[in-house]
Amino acid sequence: MTPEKWWKEAIVYQIYARSFKDGNGDGIGDLNGILTKIDYLSWLRIDAICLNPIFDSPNENNGYDTSDYYTIHTEYGKQEDFDDLLKALHEQGVKLILDIVVNHTSNEHYWFQEAKKSRENIYYRYYLWWPEEDGEPPERESFFDNPGKGWTYNLQTNSWYLHYFSPAQPDLNWENPAVRKEIHNIFRFWLQKGVDGFRLHDISFISKDIHFPKITKKIIEHKYQGEWSHYYAQGPRLHEFLNEMRVEVFDHFDAVIIGEAPGILAENALSFVDPQRAELDVFTHFEGIGMGYVSGEFRNVIPHTYDMRIFKNIFSRWNDVFLNIGWGTIYLGNHDQPRMVSRWGNESPEYRKSSAKLLLTFLLTMRATPFIYNGDELGMTNISAAPGAGDDSRTPFPWTGDDGCGFSSAEPWISMDPNCVFINQEASMRDPDSILHYFKKFVLFRHSCKTLVYGNFIQLNTEDALYGFIRSDEKARLLILLNFSDQRVSYIMQPLLVNPIKVLINNYSDVRINEKNLEMLPYQALIVDLS
């Protein structure tokens, strides 16, 4: 068994601050708003919250374009508000993890404002440039730019700067020791305040081959599975930089380092989280997040259009990656993805509750640290009138069924989902059969059962729609059955089960047994004690 750590046992609750709770009446969620909901966060019994970036930013990309790492964005509050929130969370036994981006900054950051003035400016080397005298820069793809060019020309320096994302997000030059020292100091500043860790956004991209070899689309297609992210994650000094960060900073604090690592395949993941290498603590992968989309779009996700065979293969395989060493995360939704129940379950009135409970069961029974996105514990759905891709999951958190649904006394920065009049926290608290109460019950169950954290994982051979597996250790042997469909599915009980079966968790009120078969209802989730 891998060594026990708090961050392996933790249930992490991701908060998109801009949409969680408005504390000052300007229509934008903020830190004081979160502070007013400390009792709710404590009641949930989650172990940590992870805040999307709250640093100063022009918000060209959802706060992932930082203009000052030491300052709280004015829309979210002040440094004192952060200190108050951190103190209140710790008093309730809840840890705080900050989402931070150090692959790039905003183009409004002081470093870049200076860098673009002159090649002689000391900050010029804080970024990555291609001089005009060397001709057109080699092809590099930008994930957000259209038509996808990863270089933008700067007239003052007669050179192009590199940006893997939008032109408003120039990539940092990690080859420059001064840049790495700056980043280390940023980490120390927040760790000394008492934060409990960081989620390092796109950390697998920080190292670049600064000779910028010619890379064609044909090479990307044949060598990197057609994904630029796979090439970008192969930087020559990536592991060196991560080890240096660990030794210089994180070894001196009791904090968790969670690496969001696009472009890294399962076979390479252990090189990031093997404790002997002293790099990251926890690995977050991207495989599988493209399933279920219609023509690659965030919106109009048709329930259950993804292939369950692929789904099971991906998550079971990633479980096996960290079987003996290392650790991973698991999530089904966040601020950039459609709402969990709309994408992976079924948001129809008939099945919204059962499918949301099923998905929460899945997240909390896999061998990884689960991240629960705020609102998924209520079964929030995609909003049909979202103004842009990704906005489905950024609609404000519904606290009540009144006008404004308890988020703000002013018009919110983005439209409330009209269904907030019946999908809200207040109504969920009143309903003993709500998704919220099921989630709370399951959180308590998982906290009392380390088998679900550290236990062995064995996938069972079941019908495509049914995901069945066993979690076991010397203390317990648990059978988990998850029906990911709106159809009834039969599971042959023997030799695993005997009558009467001991059901520990069930998102329905009954269990249907017909001779030797266990009849799984649509979106039913069961945990059966086989001990």
Side-chain angles (χ1 to χ4, degrees):
M1 187 174 80
T2 60
E4 295 186 359
K5 296 287 186 180
W6 69 262
W7 35 265
K8 294 179 181 179
E9 301 173 16
I11 297 169
V12 183
Y13 186 76
Q14 182 195 348
I15 291 182
Y16 184 59
R18 192 174 182 84
S19 294
F20 192 64
K21 174 63 180 174
D22 176 14
N24 62 0
D26 64 355
I28 299 172
D30 48 44
L31 298 180
N32 278 330
I34 300 173
L35 186 60
T36 66
K37 297 301 180 182
I38 286 290
D39 288 345
Y40 174 67
L41 296 173
S42 176
W43 178 86
L44 286 175
R45 294 294 300 274
I46 46 92
D47 303 281
I49 68 169
C50 181
L51 280 181
N52 285 96
I54 54 172
F55 312 108
D56 204 12
S57 167
N59 270 331
E60 290 290 328
N61 181 25
N62 194 37
Y64 286 85
D65 49 329
T66 305
S67 54
D68 187 342
Y69 291 96
Y70 295 99
T71 304
I72 302 296
H73 195 294
T74 54
E75 291 180 339
Y76 297 140
K78 301 176 181 179
Q79 191 68 247
E80 294 78 11
D81 301 323
F82 176 85
D83 296 339
D84 290 343
L85 176 61
L86 180 61
K87 180 182 178 182
L89 287 168
H90 283 174
E91 287 175 349
Q92 295 295 329
V94 179
K95 298 182 184 295
L96 177 58
I97 298 167
L98 293 180
D99 195 358
I100 191 168
V101 189
V102 290
N103 173 70
H104 52 262
T105 69
S106 164
N107 61 353
E108 295 187 18
H109 195 291
Y110 172 78
W111 301 341
F112 190 75
Q113 289 295 304
E114 289 294 307
K116 68 180 186 178
K117 292 178 180 178
S118 165
R119 294 191 191 184
E120 284 68 48
N121 192 296
I122 61 169
Y123 291 104
Y124 183 80
R125 292 190 61 248
Y126 273 45
Y127 296 88
L128 294 154
W129 301 85
W130 184 269
E132 183 181 53
E133 59 267 25
D134 288 347
E136 288 286 324
E139 181 177 2
R140 292 295 183 271
E141 185 76 12
S142 170
F143 295 118
F144 289 176
D145 200 10
N146 188 13
K149 299 297 183 183
W151 298 95
T152 291
Y153 187 74
N154 177 59
L155 183 61
Q156 291 171 284
T157 60
N158 294 319
S159 56
W160 287 266
Y161 65 87
L162 180 70
H163 51 88
Y164 282 175
F165 294 88
S166 83
Q169 297 166 274
D171 280 30
L172 286 165
N173 177 16
W174 275 69
E175 292 288 325
N176 184 347
V179 169
R180 303 200 300 276
K181 185 176 180 180
E182 296 267 20
I183 299 300
H184 296 167
N185 286 337
I186 291 165
F187 289 144
R188 289 191 192 97
F189 174 82
W190 293 102
L191 289 168
Q192 288 166 354
K193 276 186 168 292
V195 302
D196 301 287
F198 294 97
R199 175 185 179 270
L200 305 180
H201 184 78
D202 290 325
I203 196 65
S204 51
F205 293 163
I206 59 174
S207 175
K208 280 86 172 174
D209 184 342
I210 59 174
H211 298 99
F212 296 112
K214 184 177 180 181
I215 301 292
T216 65
K217 290 183 179 179
K218 186 175 182 180
I219 293 175
I220 294 296
E221 187 67 33
H222 290 282
K223 189 175 180 180
Y224 299 102
Q225 298 80 43
E227 295 287 342
W228 277 93
S229 63
H230 293 322
Y231 169 70
Y232 289 159
Q234 304 299 317
R237 298 182 66 189
L238 174 58
H239 292 287
E240 177 187 342
F241 293 155
L242 294 177
N243 175 258
E244 179 186 59
M245 183 168 47
R246 161 72 73 178
V247 172
E248 293 294 324
V249 181
F250 290 102
D251 276 349
H252 305 282
F253 297 89
D254 180 20
V256 62
I257 320 173
I258 303 168
E260 184 198 53
I264 302 298
L265 301 177
E267 54 263 34
N268 300 319
L270 279 184
S271 61
F272 291 84
V273 290
D274 183 343
Q276 298 300 317
R277 296 176 61 94
E279 296 182 20
L280 305 174
D281 293 313
V282 184
F283 187 95
T284 296
H285 70 86
F286 272 61
E287 191 175 359
I289 66 170
M291 292 189 296
Y293 290 149
V294 178
S295 300
E297 294 294 331
F298 279 124
R299 60 185 66 261
N300 298 326
V301 177
I302 301 174
H304 203 67
T305 56
Y306 55 95
D307 189 323
M308 267 305 295
R309 289 170 298 178
I310 298 175
F311 181 94
K312 291 189 287 187
N313 175 267
I314 288 173
F315 286 103
S316 293
R317 179 159 41 85
W318 274 98
N319 172 84
D320 291 342
V321 168
F322 309 113
L323 182 61
N324 298 311
I325 56 175
W327 201 255
T329 68
I330 190 166
Y331 67 99
L332 289 178
N334 60 30
H335 62 288
D336 273 338
Q337 305 295 324
R339 275 290 170 185
M340 179 178 77
V341 71
S342 298
R343 180 179 182 185
W344 305 107
N346 192 322
E347 63 182 21
S348 70
E350 183 179 5
Y351 294 125
R352 183 180 67 88
K353 271 189 176 183
S354 57
S355 68
K357 292 176 182 179
L358 170 118
L359 296 172
L360 290 169
T361 306
F362 166 72
L363 289 171
L364 294 172
T365 54
M366 295 296 284
R367 194 175 182 274
T369 298
F371 275 63
I372 310 297
Y373 182 55
N374 61 213
D376 282 345
E377 77 275 21
L378 306 180
M380 288 181 68
T381 62
N382 286 351
I383 181 172
S384 59
D391 286 335
D392 282 320
S393 59
R394 298 173 193 163
T395 53
F397 192 100
W399 294 98
T400 69
D402 303 330
D403 289 343
C405 290
F407 168 70
S408 175
S409 59
E411 183 178 350
W413 73 276
I414 190 173
S415 298
M416 298 288 306
D417 193 319
N419 68 16
C420 69
V421 296
F422 59 89
I423 299 178
N424 58 72
Q425 187 261 350
E426 185 179 68
S428 296
M429 290 292 286
R430 290 196 304 264
D431 177 10
D433 188 46
S434 68
I435 301 162
L436 176 60
H437 281 295
Y438 181 87
F439 174 67
K440 169 68 176 293
K441 173 186 175 182
F442 211 119
V443 168
L444 295 175
F445 176 69
R446 189 175 188 273
H447 282 155
S448 68
C449 182
K450 287 191 177 181
T451 305
L452 290 178
V453 180
Y454 301 108
N456 296 322
F457 175 98
I458 300 175
Q459 183 182 344
L460 301 175
N461 185 17
T462 60
E463 293 188 29
D464 288 348
L466 187 63
Y467 199 175
F469 49 92
I470 292 176
R471 301 297 312 277
S472 64
D473 58 16
E474 65 279 2
K475 295 181 179 180
R477 190 162 181 258
L478 306 176
L479 169 67
I480 292 88
L481 295 172
L482 307 169
N483 179 9
F484 276 77
S485 77
D486 59 1
Q487 303 296 313
R488 296 187 180 190
V489 178
S490 292
Y491 178 74
I492 300 176
M493 291 191 297
Q494 293 184 350
L496 291 176
L497 299 178
V498 294
N499 279 320
I501 66 173
K502 184 179 179 181
V503 176
L504 302 178
I505 294 289
N506 183 6
N507 64 342
Y508 278 80
S509 60
D510 63 342
V511 178
R512 302 190 179 188
I513 301 175
N514 179 20
E515 295 181 352
K516 294 183 179 181
N517 291 340
L518 183 65
E519 186 179 16
M520 298 288 292
L521 299 171
Y523 300 106
Q524 186 165 23
L526 287 176
I527 298 184
V528 178
D529 187 357
L530 300 179
S531 303

mmCIF file of all heavy atoms in Angstrom, residues 139-151 163 167 217 228:
data_model
loop_
_atom_site.group_PDB
_atom_site.id
_atom_site.type_symbol
_atom_site.label_atom_id
_atom_site.label_comp_id
_atom_site.label_asym_id
_atom_site.label_seq_id
_atom_site.Cartn_x
_atom_site.Cartn_y
_atom_site.Cartn_z
ATOM 1 N N GLU A 139 6.682 26.862 -37.272
ATOM 2 C CA GLU A 139 5.273 26.670 -36.938
ATOM 3 C C GLU A 139 5.095 26.195 -35.509
ATOM 4 O O GLU A 139 5.734 25.255 -35.048
ATOM 5 C CB GLU A 139 4.643 25.647 -37.882
ATOM 6 C CG GLU A 139 3.159 25.424 -37.606
ATOM 7 C CD GLU A 139 2.524 24.467 -38.595
ATOM 8 O OE1 GLU A 139 3.243 23.958 -39.472
ATOM 9 O OE2 GLU A 139 1.313 24.229 -38.484
ATOM 10 N N ARG A 140 4.216 26.884 -34.794
ATOM 11 C CA ARG A 140 3.784 26.459 -33.477
ATOM 12 C C ARG A 140 2.288 26.753 -33.380
ATOM 13 O O ARG A 140 1.829 27.813 -33.794
ATOM 14 C CB ARG A 140 4.536 27.189 -32.351
ATOM 15 C CG ARG A 140 6.007 26.827 -32.238
ATOM 16 C CD ARG A 140 6.194 25.373 -31.854
ATOM 17 N NE ARG A 140 7.601 25.003 -31.678
ATOM 18 C CZ ARG A 140 8.394 24.563 -32.629
ATOM 19 N NH1 ARG A 140 7.937 24.460 -33.881
ATOM 20 N NH2 ARG A 140 9.641 24.217 -32.375
ATOM 21 N N GLU A 141 1.551 25.803 -32.810
ATOM 22 C CA GLU A 141 0.102 25.934 -32.711
ATOM 23 C C GLU A 141 -0.274 26.659 -31.426
ATOM 24 O O GLU A 141 0.330 26.457 -30.372
ATOM 25 C CB GLU A 141 -0.536 24.543 -32.714
ATOM 26 C CG GLU A 141 -2.048 24.548 -32.733
ATOM 27 C CD GLU A 141 -2.634 24.871 -34.085
ATOM 28 O OE1 GLU A 141 -1.880 24.867 -35.085
ATOM 29 O OE2 GLU A 141 -3.841 25.111 -34.143
ATOM 30 N N SER A 142 -1.278 27.515 -31.530
ATOM 31 C CA SER A 142 -1.854 28.154 -30.352
ATOM 32 C C SER A 142 -3.228 27.557 -30.117
ATOM 33 O O SER A 142 -4.044 27.472 -31.026
ATOM 34 C CB SER A 142 -1.963 29.670 -30.574
ATOM 35 O OG SER A 142 -2.711 30.269 -29.548
ATOM 36 N N PHE A 143 -3.483 27.132 -28.898
ATOM 37 C CA PHE A 143 -4.739 26.447 -28.603
ATOM 38 C C PHE A 143 -5.953 27.361 -28.748
ATOM 39 O O PHE A 143 -7.022 26.925 -29.135
ATOM 40 C CB PHE A 143 -4.699 25.865 -27.188
ATOM 41 C CG PHE A 143 -3.675 24.789 -27.008
ATOM 42 C CD1 PHE A 143 -2.635 24.936 -26.105
ATOM 43 C CD2 PHE A 143 -3.738 23.621 -27.751
ATOM 44 C CE1 PHE A 143 -1.687 23.944 -25.932
ATOM 45 C CE2 PHE A 143 -2.788 22.618 -27.590
ATOM 46 C CZ PHE A 143 -1.765 22.786 -26.681
ATOM 47 N N PHE A 144 -5.789 28.634 -28.419
ATOM 48 C CA PHE A 144 -6.939 29.533 -28.401
ATOM 49 C C PHE A 144 -6.982 30.480 -29.584
ATOM 50 O O PHE A 144 -8.013 31.045 -29.891
ATOM 51 C CB PHE A 144 -6.943 30.382 -27.122
ATOM 52 C CG PHE A 144 -7.266 29.601 -25.877
ATOM 53 C CD1 PHE A 144 -7.235 30.211 -24.639
ATOM 54 C CD2 PHE A 144 -7.609 28.256 -25.934
ATOM 55 C CE1 PHE A 144 -7.535 29.511 -23.484
ATOM 56 C CE2 PHE A 144 -7.913 27.540 -24.803
ATOM 57 C CZ PHE A 144 -7.868 28.164 -23.566
ATOM 58 N N ASP A 145 -5.843 30.713 -30.205
ATOM 59 C CA ASP A 145 -5.791 31.726 -31.256
ATOM 60 C C ASP A 145 -6.441 31.219 -32.532
ATOM 61 O O ASP A 145 -6.550 30.026 -32.773
ATOM 62 C CB ASP A 145 -4.332 32.096 -31.546
ATOM 63 C CG ASP A 145 -4.193 33.432 -32.233
ATOM 64 O OD1 ASP A 145 -5.201 34.139 -32.303
ATOM 65 O OD2 ASP A 145 -3.086 33.747 -32.673
ATOM 66 N N ASN A 146 -6.880 32.135 -33.344
ATOM 67 C CA ASN A 146 -7.458 31.807 -34.650
ATOM 68 C C ASN A 146 -6.721 32.643 -35.690
ATOM 69 O O ASN A 146 -6.750 33.856 -35.615
ATOM 70 C CB ASN A 146 -8.953 32.152 -34.659
ATOM 71 C CG ASN A 146 -9.659 31.653 -35.903
ATOM 72 O OD1 ASN A 146 -9.119 30.865 -36.647
ATOM 73 N ND2 ASN A 146 -10.866 32.133 -36.129
ATOM 74 N N PRO A 147 -6.007 32.063 -36.617
ATOM 75 C CA PRO A 147 -6.101 30.680 -37.095
ATOM 76 C C PRO A 147 -5.148 29.693 -36.425
ATOM 77 O O PRO A 147 -4.786 28.688 -37.039
ATOM 78 C CB PRO A 147 -5.754 30.838 -38.574
ATOM 79 C CG PRO A 147 -4.754 31.950 -38.589
ATOM 80 C CD PRO A 147 -5.171 32.886 -37.505
ATOM 81 N N GLY A 148 -4.715 29.960 -35.223
ATOM 82 C CA GLY A 148 -3.919 28.966 -34.526
ATOM 83 C C GLY A 148 -2.419 29.186 -34.596
ATOM 84 O O GLY A 148 -1.647 28.252 -34.422
ATOM 85 N N LYS A 149 -1.987 30.390 -34.845
ATOM 86 C CA LYS A 149 -0.563 30.685 -34.893
ATOM 87 C C LYS A 149 -0.056 30.999 -33.487
ATOM 88 O O LYS A 149 -0.613 31.845 -32.798
ATOM 89 C CB LYS A 149 -0.277 31.870 -35.821
ATOM 90 C CG LYS A 149 -0.696 31.639 -37.260
ATOM 91 C CD LYS A 149 0.081 30.491 -37.896
ATOM 92 C CE LYS A 149 -0.289 30.301 -39.359
ATOM 93 N NZ LYS A 149 0.411 29.150 -39.974
ATOM 94 N N GLY A 150 1.015 30.304 -33.067
ATOM 95 C CA GLY A 150 1.531 30.460 -31.721
ATOM 96 C C GLY A 150 2.556 31.561 -31.551
ATOM 97 O O GLY A 150 3.225 31.639 -30.517
ATOM 98 N N TRP A 151 2.701 32.412 -32.581
ATOM 99 C CA TRP A 151 3.627 33.540 -32.497
ATOM 100 C C TRP A 151 2.883 34.838 -32.807
ATOM 101 O O TRP A 151 2.043 34.873 -33.701
ATOM 102 C CB TRP A 151 4.780 33.393 -33.501
ATOM 103 C CG TRP A 151 5.661 32.211 -33.324
ATOM 104 C CD1 TRP A 151 5.561 31.002 -33.945
ATOM 105 C CD2 TRP A 151 6.812 32.121 -32.477
ATOM 106 N NE1 TRP A 151 6.554 30.155 -33.551
ATOM 107 C CE2 TRP A 151 7.351 30.823 -32.643
ATOM 108 C CE3 TRP A 151 7.442 33.001 -31.594
ATOM 109 C CZ2 TRP A 151 8.492 30.383 -31.969
ATOM 110 C CZ3 TRP A 151 8.574 32.569 -30.913
ATOM 111 C CH2 TRP A 151 9.087 31.271 -31.106
ATOM 112 N N HIS A 163 3.363 32.068 -27.711
ATOM 113 C CA HIS A 163 2.231 31.874 -26.802
ATOM 114 C C HIS A 163 1.510 30.590 -27.197
ATOM 115 O O HIS A 163 0.957 30.477 -28.273
ATOM 116 C CB HIS A 163 1.269 33.071 -26.835
ATOM 117 C CG HIS A 163 0.825 33.472 -28.205
ATOM 118 N ND1 HIS A 163 -0.269 32.927 -28.831
ATOM 119 C CD2 HIS A 163 1.349 34.363 -29.087
ATOM 120 C CE1 HIS A 163 -0.420 33.472 -30.038
ATOM 121 N NE2 HIS A 163 0.563 34.340 -30.220
ATOM 122 N N PRO A 167 -2.672 35.306 -27.725
ATOM 123 C CA PRO A 167 -1.637 36.350 -27.727
ATOM 124 C C PRO A 167 -1.601 37.151 -26.436
ATOM 125 O O PRO A 167 -0.599 37.803 -26.137
ATOM 126 C CB PRO A 167 -2.040 37.233 -28.915
ATOM 127 C CG PRO A 167 -2.831 36.340 -29.810
ATOM 128 C CD PRO A 167 -3.570 35.421 -28.888
ATOM 129 N N LYS A 217 2.962 19.778 -39.239
ATOM 130 C CA LYS A 217 1.734 19.086 -38.873
ATOM 131 C C LYS A 217 1.859 17.591 -39.133
ATOM 132 O O LYS A 217 1.271 16.769 -38.416
ATOM 133 C CB LYS A 217 0.557 19.672 -39.641
ATOM 134 C CG LYS A 217 0.175 21.076 -39.188
ATOM 135 C CD LYS A 217 -1.047 21.589 -39.925
ATOM 136 C CE LYS A 217 -1.423 22.978 -39.422
ATOM 137 N NZ LYS A 217 -2.599 23.538 -40.143
ATOM 138 N N TRP A 228 -0.700 18.681 -30.635
ATOM 139 C CA TRP A 228 0.414 19.554 -30.294
ATOM 140 C C TRP A 228 0.752 19.456 -28.815
ATOM 141 O O TRP A 228 1.901 19.625 -28.399
ATOM 142 C CB TRP A 228 0.096 21.001 -30.669
ATOM 143 C CG TRP A 228 0.354 21.316 -32.105
ATOM 144 C CD1 TRP A 228 -0.532 21.265 -33.141
ATOM 145 C CD2 TRP A 228 1.606 21.733 -32.677
ATOM 146 N NE1 TRP A 228 0.085 21.618 -34.321
ATOM 147 C CE2 TRP A 228 1.397 21.925 -34.065
ATOM 148 C CE3 TRP A 228 2.874 21.964 -32.156
ATOM 149 C CZ2 TRP A 228 2.404 22.340 -34.927
ATOM 150 C CZ3 TRP A 228 3.892 22.381 -33.002
ATOM 151 C CH2 TRP A 228 3.652 22.549 -34.375
#
